[in-house]
Amino acid sequence: MPIYEFFCRKCQEPFTAFMSMKEHDERAPKCPRGHDAKEVEKRISSAHAVTTKKSLTY
Ligand SMILES: [Zn+2]
């Protein structure tokens, strides 16, 4: 299962999560410290060097 990078706005810290591509497309995970998923931003992993979120494709 791929690892994705996320960033919690409450913690102001990045974290990683294991999830399927389908899960990743449908929702963000909860922060590991318990903050709601709406506080979590998706981050593009370093393997995918893209410049804008609009070009995020899988
Ligand atoms: Zn958090």
Side-chain angles (χ1 to χ4, degrees), residues 7-13 15 30-36 39-40:
F7 183 85
C8 177
R9 282 188 282 255
K10 289 279 187 187
C11 300
Q12 290 290 299
E13 281 186 14
F15 66 92
K30 272 195 169 184
C31 163
R33 293 187 176 90
H35 298 123
D36 194 86
E39 304 292 349
V40 172

Side-chain angles (χ1 to χ4, degrees), residues 20 37 44:
S20 70
I44 298 157

Side-chain angles (χ1 to χ4, degrees), residues 5-47:
E5 289 185 22
F6 298 91
F7 183 85
C8 177
R9 282 188 282 255
K10 289 279 187 187
C11 300
Q12 290 290 299
E13 281 186 14
F15 66 92
T16 55
F18 290 95
M19 60 201 309
S20 70
M21 286 187 191
K22 185 170 182 293
E23 285 177 316
H24 180 262
D25 283 347
E26 288 174 351
R27 59 182 173 77
K30 272 195 169 184
C31 163
R33 293 187 176 90
H35 298 123
D36 194 86
K38 71 185 180 212
E39 304 292 349
V40 172
E41 295 177 6
K42 289 178 184 177
R43 282 221 162 161
I44 298 157
S45 84
S46 54

